[in-house]
Amino acid sequence: MTRSGQEYLEALRDGREVWLDGERVKDVTAHPAFRATAGSFAGLFDLARDSPHAPDLVTGGVHRAYAVPRSYEDLVARRRAYKVWAEASYGFLGRTPDYMASGAAGFAAAPGVFTTERFDGAENALAFHRRLAEGGLHCAFTITDPACEGVRVVGERDGGIVVRGAKTIGTGAVFADEILVGTIEPLPEGEVERAVTFAVPVDTPGLKLVSRTSYEGNARSVFDQPLSSRYDENDALLVCDDVFVPWDRVLTYRDVAATAAMWWETPAYVNFVHQSATRFWTKLEFLAGLSILLARSNGTDTIPQVTQAIGRLLGMVAQAKAFVLGAEASHEPVDGGRGGVRPGQEISFAQRIMAGELYPRAVADIKLLAGGALIQTPASGRDLLHSELGPLVQRYVRTPGDPAEGRLKLLKLAWDALGSEFAGRHEQYERFYQGAPHVYLTMQTWAGAADACESLAQACLDGYDLGTTK
């Protein structure tokens, strides 16, 4: 049986070193900058443990994201599980535990990638997958180097290695049980000291997480900031201050090729995309629904230009859905079928291109539908309760079809999703959700689609020459 939300929260009280605003956070489950979002993560575990959704979320005693899919039907079942958790946060919690779970399943599907002349990490990769699955653990990752000093190996000791440096962007890391540290971008051949991948508990001595501004901490109430007050998964800088990593926690070691191949030559990356594409589809569903509620509240829902704009947004939702279904339908065997199947690689890579371009367009279109009301909304829901101010707000904030409280609640939700600092973070996040575009665009070129396109164009060129007549 999967663990409960309460068991998850208790595990976070482990003395981990989290820093925010110049102070060390003693307990992320109790701190006002983190406690509500920690509770939202805990709610996901409860959905899997004891709810009507449990059959969709769990198979063989573990979350479906940990299962290595063997067929198209398995991919569909896994996507249904992704959808349940995505809908629980309306798509705004990106790095839920099923994200890294799907990556770990990708490692387990092709463990031979981790075996090199320098280091054999195959058993460790399988143990990593097994540990997360059996414990129902939430694992985050940091796989991008900062502009200055990335994580590197600085020494070996009996039983393990010592690493030093930093990694970005640790989305959800403050809420995780473990963190996987690696590099997704291909490293230069000589950078062997940076070519290392390992997974350690977040409370490992010497490991520090430096949090960005907490939108949850700055939220006034759920009424005023309904999304950022509950679904701020946070992003943190990871610092390794001479962290000791046991050998059995190391997946790749001093091998540039293997450190990159673990993402691109196993199903890990396309598994990530399968989860994130399902979440993205869910998020666009929420935003399209928000646009309909705004138009209805504004009394503009029957204007042809507005209905056309909503139709375009619904088309975006269908487009996002189509990428998920298309990747599943174009599934490919892994390691000749020995590692099961994975979603189609070309469509998965293309989804990342589409999502980064589509999300800002969707947000901009909904802002136009919302109108100027978003920028002069009363400061707080408490205005409705004030003896003198309340009647004025009740009279002048309402619309013919929407009382003041409902109207204000809708506008607050819309601003949190579209115009707040939380919303700005999400727009940037969707652009860089799985790395810089130059990384996955390059991988799209290598994936084989370029060969087919080039062959078709070349066939046309080969079909005529200077002597060809009409």
Side-chain angles (χ1 to χ4, degrees), residues 359-377:
Y359 191 80
R361 286 169 46 200
V363 169
D365 286 353
I366 301 170
K367 284 181 177 179
L368 288 176
L369 291 174
L374 289 181
I375 60 175
Q376 59 88 62
T377 303

Side-chain angles (χ1 to χ4, degrees), residues 136-370:
L137 302 182
H138 179 190
C139 184
F141 68 20
T142 52
I143 55 176
T144 303
D145 284 331
C148 51
E149 186 178 332
V151 169
R152 66 196 188 282
V153 178
V154 295
E156 293 185 9
R157 296 181 188 169
D158 290 341
I161 61 175
V162 179
V163 296
R164 183 187 304 158
K167 285 284 183 178
T168 65
I169 303 169
T171 302
V174 298
F175 303 108
D177 297 291
E178 291 194 12
I179 188 160
L180 181 74
V181 182
T183 302
I184 196 168
E185 299 182 9
L187 292 167
E189 281 299 324
E191 295 281 1
V192 293
E193 73 281 355
R194 293 167 56 203
V196 60
T197 310
F198 57 89
V200 292
V202 177
D203 66 342
T204 297
L207 191 153
K208 301 174 174 61
L209 293 171
V210 184
S211 171
R212 59 145 166 83
T213 296
S214 169
Y215 308 133
E216 176 186 330
N218 292 336
R220 303 177 72 172
S221 68
V222 174
F223 186 94
D224 292 308
Q225 288 92 14
L227 299 174
S228 56
S229 63
R230 297 178 291 170
Y231 308 120
D232 180 19
E233 62 189 345
N234 203 274
D235 309 283
L237 172 71
L238 175 137
V239 177
C240 292
D241 186 9
D242 287 357
V243 170
F244 176 73
V245 182
W247 283 120
D248 62 2
R249 291 285 188 145
V250 178
L251 276 64
T252 70
Y253 184 61
R254 298 182 68 84
D255 191 296
V256 169
T259 299
M262 62 177 285
W263 306 108
W264 307 108
E265 295 181 20
T266 74
Y269 186 84
V270 291
N271 282 359
F272 286 156
V273 176
H274 194 204
Q275 188 270 358
S276 65
T278 303
R279 179 200 55 80
F280 183 77
W281 160 25
T282 304
K283 197 174 187 180
L284 285 189
E285 284 182 324
F286 166 81
L287 291 177
L290 185 60
S291 74
I292 295 170
L293 295 177
L294 286 167
R296 191 172 295 153
S297 179
N298 290 341
T300 59
D301 53 312
T302 59
I303 297 175
Q305 293 90 336
V306 173
T307 58
Q308 291 168 15
I310 293 174
R312 283 193 296 272
L313 287 164
L314 293 173
M316 294 179 187
V317 174
Q319 184 177 350
K321 178 181 179 180
F323 272 89
V324 176
L325 302 187
E328 293 168 356
S330 62
H331 60 86
E332 303 160 344
V334 177
D335 192 19
R338 289 180 291 275
V341 299
R342 67 179 181 185
Q345 185 170 252
E346 291 178 8
I347 292 179
S348 296
F349 287 176
Q351 193 276 340
R352 295 312 312 137
I353 301 168
M354 177 276 299
E357 296 173 351
L358 196 65
Y359 191 80
R361 286 169 46 200
V363 169
D365 286 353
I366 301 170
K367 284 181 177 179
L368 288 176
L369 291 174

